[in-house]
Amino acid sequence: MALRIEDYAVIGDTHTAALVGLDGSMDWLCLPRFDSAACFAKLLGNDENGYWKIAPVQTPKKVTRSYRQDSLVLETVFETETGKAKLIDFMKLRDEIPNVVRVVEGIEGEVDFLMQFVLRFDYGSVIPWVKGVDGVLSAIAGPDAVDLWTPVDVEGRNLTSVSEFTIKAAQDVPFVLCWHPSNQPPSQPVNPTYALRETTNSWKDWASVCSYKGEYRESVVRSLITLKALTYAPTGGIVAAATTSLPESLGGSRNWDYRY
């Protein structure tokens, strides 16, 4: 079951956007563009509609979340009985192909994590063909293909891909998801460390142009960044929302695609 809409935060690359829950689950993502069919659509349904969750095995005793400085880099900190770790989520500003980067960083102690990757194209109606090739998880369905790059072992369980790993202080485990047309070879993934620095600096540089210095500058800049995230870079058009087909109220009749 999806979380409350207020429990989600947005990341994006000015071509598409993803929603990440307070529980570490990415429950909405359209690839490669805003108007593409979603490959993670749990937001509108259930687990069968696709999601990508990275979270501690043990229920956290505390979860905090914020954006890194004036950027669209999301940081979620999980505190458990055994330690503390951070999940960093972002999308590198688009070159040619979309890259979704998720990095788990150890802060103190050690934390056991579970990664669940449930890719379902076309809003959950298409289960891709998944295989592991040289340590890379590849999934193909019709015109779409994605590759998941990570140094930890990933295994298949009941049509899902799962990884269990332990993160200790000063360690990090990256996950990089790349989309490409299925009739073309995959591109090499971005370097997570370099991409994180470049993405953070790019957003900070863009936000620094804001001349407002008043009491509410933080809120103003955050609103501007959100609007920028919803702007389709090739045309400059702004989508009405990152999601689609959410009713005004449960059981209500107003149910249309907000992106158009």
Side-chain angles (χ1 to χ4, degrees), residues 56-173:
V57 174
Q58 183 184 58
T59 301
K61 61 181 183 180
K62 184 178 181 181
V63 181
T64 57
R65 180 173 64 183
S66 63
Y67 286 103
R68 176 177 291 193
Q69 302 169 328
D70 290 340
S71 77
L72 206 64
V73 176
L74 180 66
E75 298 183 330
T76 305
V77 177
F78 299 102
E79 295 185 39
T80 71
E81 296 294 339
T82 59
K84 181 190 297 186
K86 179 191 300 181
L87 173 63
I88 303 172
D89 288 305
F90 67 97
M91 297 183 70
K92 181 179 179 296
L93 292 175
R94 185 77 63 92
D95 293 324
E96 294 183 2
I97 64 170
N99 282 269
V100 183
V101 183
R102 315 192 74 184
V103 181
V104 181
E105 287 188 355
I107 299 175
E108 61 183 49
E110 61 179 48
V111 182
D112 294 328
F113 270 82
L114 174 65
M115 189 281 296
Q116 298 168 289
F117 185 71
V118 184
L119 190 71
R120 299 291 185 265
F121 291 106
D122 197 22
Y123 304 100
S125 64
V126 178
I127 300 176
W129 176 50
V130 180
K131 63 177 181 178
V133 180
D134 297 329
V136 180
L137 193 71
S138 298
I140 298 176
D144 298 297
V146 300
D147 296 290
L148 179 63
W149 305 72
T150 180
V152 295
D153 293 332
V154 180
E155 64 179 48
R157 296 181 190 173
N158 301 319
L159 300 179
T160 69
S161 299
V162 176
S163 178
E164 297 179 70
F165 59 96
T166 299
I167 194 79
K168 298 181 180 180
Q171 292 182 338
D172 66 79
V173 174

